[in-house]
Amino acid sequence: MDKLYNVTDAFTMVHPLTLVKGKNARVWDDNDRSYIDFVGGIGVLNFGHCNPHIVDAIIQQAQSLIHYAYNAAAHQPYQSFMPRLCELVPISGDLAGMLTNCGAEATENAIKIARMKTGRTGVIAFDGGFHGRTLAAVNLNGKVAPYKRGLGALASGVYHIPFPSPDNNIGDEQAIDALQRLFMVETDIDNIGAIIVEPVQGEGGFQLLSPTFAQYLRKFCDEHGMLLIMDEIQSGYGRTGTPFAFTHLGIEPDLILLGKSIAGGLPLGAVIGKANVVNGLPKGSLGGTYSGNPVACAAANATLDIMQADDVWQSAKHYAQTIETTISQWQQEGISPWLFGLTGIGAMRGIELRHPEHDVHPSVMAQVLTKARERGLLLMPSGQHRHIIRLLPPLTIEPDTLKEGLDILKEVLIALPDGLPAA
């Protein structure tokens, strides 16, 4: 019998498609069918598929130097990009950082930095959070299935508390009580070196962290010698309508984690933070063979060029206003009892599907995804019960394309049953 060589079935694809090309907010499959893309590679393409400026930078760099490991010898794209990135990050004082291959690797290295700097191994994370699938990062995730299922015992010293947000029913006091309980029941406060949190949860349903709780966390970390780590892997690089989501919270973290849209579609991540935190670590303790690859750095430099253009932010503002106005109008029209409302902030928005009588139902999202795809729109679910549509089109989406995509979504929502869908 011939051997079978194929991709592992551990992958679960939301959409059974094979894509062959993309341009800004559209993709085409191997049957040359076009789709409006509200997924964006799960937040990787904030500035569109095959942005011409990024493509040109990739081509030019690939013609001169494709790779060199920065741990062995420096290369110009890394040295050019890192100062520009640090200049962009609105944290006061001197900053320093390192580049990684992806967001999960940024998470791993941030935890290493926290351990080495504080001498403590404990980390506090949040219910509903997502920080990666690598073995240390996965235990930070505030959800078992599917990320932790079958893995057995994971790294110790990780503790979870509720995520307070104006988008859920969890208030500051509930989270503060849970935090205090940890130190009465679970662990000594002196064991905790860092608190890691997304300013806007991605996988968790595009929920904004309570700004007043964020300010409480900042003071708490300062008082107890802990590092505050903001995971901006999905919320950063303009996704909320500003370069970084933590600016909506009125605080500055010690470290931020970046990935996804940082290099316009190429694999790259980063840990950026206060120089006195990131510097002074053992030589060779950070780094990696492909971390900060020259071609990825060239794409990242081009992405920064795009972010410095005013028209991108005008487009993001138009997108955010369109989403808010459109969903509000749909609610006023009563197009579907399942349309509960929006989560998130700015241009990082989720549409919550929740029936006033039946709450959430697992088959509703499946029906929305399928029917939208059949009409030419790709969507992505999120939230604890997969009941929130996370909207991730490029911030550069053309107004006509955005309207076309929303019109398709409206048709799909109108077609949902008033009661429970058929099994």
Side-chain angles (χ1 to χ4, degrees):
M1 182 182 292
D2 293 338
K3 290 184 178 179
L4 177 65
Y5 296 97
N6 213 330
V7 176
T8 172
D9 60 6
F11 285 107
T12 300
M13 288 183 291
V14 174
H15 297 290
L17 301 172
T18 298
L19 301 180
V20 296
K21 62 181 178 180
K23 183 177 181 181
N24 201 24
R26 291 186 183 269
V27 291
W28 286 261
D29 67 13
D30 53 358
N31 294 313
D32 203 34
R33 184 180 180 191
S34 171
Y35 301 86
I36 297 171
D37 185 11
F38 277 17
V39 177
I42 314 184
V44 171
L45 298 158
N46 285 356
F47 308 108
H49 289 275
C50 297
N51 185 289
H53 187 60
I54 296 173
V55 171
D56 288 345
I58 291 170
I59 293 171
Q60 291 180 29
Q61 183 58 46
Q63 292 173 335
S64 58
L65 182 68
I66 290 178
H67 179 66
Y68 214 85
Y70 200 78
N71 289 70
H75 55 77
Q76 190 274 333
Y78 197 124
Q79 291 181 323
S80 170
F81 176 59
M82 182 56 74
R84 294 184 69 197
L85 179 57
C86 288
E87 181 68 24
L88 179 70
V89 174
I91 297 176
S92 57
D94 295 334
L95 303 183
M98 66 170 294
L99 300 180
T100 64
N101 293 297
C102 62
E105 193 178 39
T107 300
E108 298 269 349
N109 280 280
I111 299 306
K112 287 166 61 178
I113 292 169
R115 284 189 171 204
M116 288 186 284
K117 275 296 178 179
T118 67
R120 307 173 187 174
T121 59
V123 183
I124 294 172
F126 287 81
D127 298 351
F130 182 85
H131 304 284
R133 286 182 171 88
T134 50
L135 198 56
V138 76
N139 202 23
L140 299 171
N141 296 345
K143 184 179 180 181
V144 172
Y147 310 114
K148 305 179 189 181
R149 182 169 289 166
L151 292 179
L154 295 169
S156 62
V158 174
Y159 306 91
H160 290 86
I161 63 173
F163 183 87
S165 169
D167 298 310
N168 59 31
N169 293 320
I170 299 171
D172 290 8
E173 289 304 317
Q174 186 176 344
I176 292 171
D177 289 346
L179 184 64
Q180 297 301 330
R181 178 194 173 278
L182 282 181
F183 306 123
M184 291 188 293
V185 178
E186 301 289 344
T187 185
D188 189 330
I189 196 170
D190 292 331
N191 293 334
I192 303 298
I195 297 177
I196 184 169
V197 64
E198 297 161 277
V200 183
Q201 286 191 339
E203 173 71 14
F206 279 24
Q207 299 186 113
L208 173 69
L209 181 65
S210 162
T212 51
F213 182 75
Q215 291 155 24
Y216 171 87
L217 276 187
R218 178 67 276 174
K219 294 177 182 178
F220 184 86
C221 287
D222 290 340
E223 290 172 2
H224 298 285
M226 302 171 188
L227 299 184
L228 180 58
I229 304 170
M230 284 280 169
D231 181 340
E232 291 263 12
I233 294 164
Q234 188 164 163
S235 63
Y237 262 63
R239 189 68 257 174
T240 64
T242 59
F244 302 102
F246 74 80
T247 57
H248 295 289
L249 305 177
I251 62 158
E252 293 183 4
D254 298 299
L255 296 171
I256 70 166
L257 312 182
L258 300 173
K260 290 195 178 288
S261 282
I262 189 175
L266 291 194
L268 193 67
V271 181
I272 304 294
K274 297 178 179 179
N276 64 346
V277 173
V278 180
N279 289 334
L281 303 172
K283 297 295 183 182
S285 60
L286 304 177
T289 303
Y290 285 97
S291 302
N293 167 269
V295 180
C297 286
N301 267 313
T303 303
L304 283 186
D305 294 340
I306 294 168
M307 290 181 67
Q308 291 173 342
D310 183 64
D311 59 342
V312 168
W313 302 111
Q314 292 302 318
S315 179
K317 182 178 180 180
H318 174 268
Y319 165 75
Q321 291 174 339
T322 299
I323 295 297
E324 290 180 10
T325 301
T326 300
I327 303 305
S328 176
Q329 182 177 340
W330 291 356
Q331 288 180 298
Q332 291 175 15
E333 294 174 1
I335 67 168
S336 172
W338 291 97
L339 179 60
F340 188 79
L342 286 174
T343 63
I345 189 170
M348 188 170 181
R349 292 292 193 168
I351 300 176
E352 188 169 4
L353 304 180
R354 182 188 294 273
H355 196 284
E357 297 180 7
H358 308 295
D359 200 30
V360 299
H361 195 271
S363 66
V364 172
M365 181 63 74
Q367 183 172 331
V368 168
L369 298 177
T370 299
K371 296 301 182 182
R373 182 176 65 247
E374 290 172 353
R375 289 168 168 81
L377 174 66
L378 301 183
L379 301 171
M380 190 76 182
S382 66
Q384 181 182 2
H385 305 290
R386 288 172 61 88
H387 66 295
I388 295 174
I389 303 169
R390 48 176 154 176
L391 302 175
L392 288 168
L395 303 174
T396 54
I397 187 171
E398 301 88 349
D400 289 347
T401 305
L402 175 60
K403 182 181 184 304
E404 183 181 349
L406 291 173
D407 286 345
I408 293 172
L409 179 56
K410 183 179 182 180
E411 293 174 6
V412 171
L413 295 178
I414 289 173
L416 287 174
D418 289 341
L420 289 175

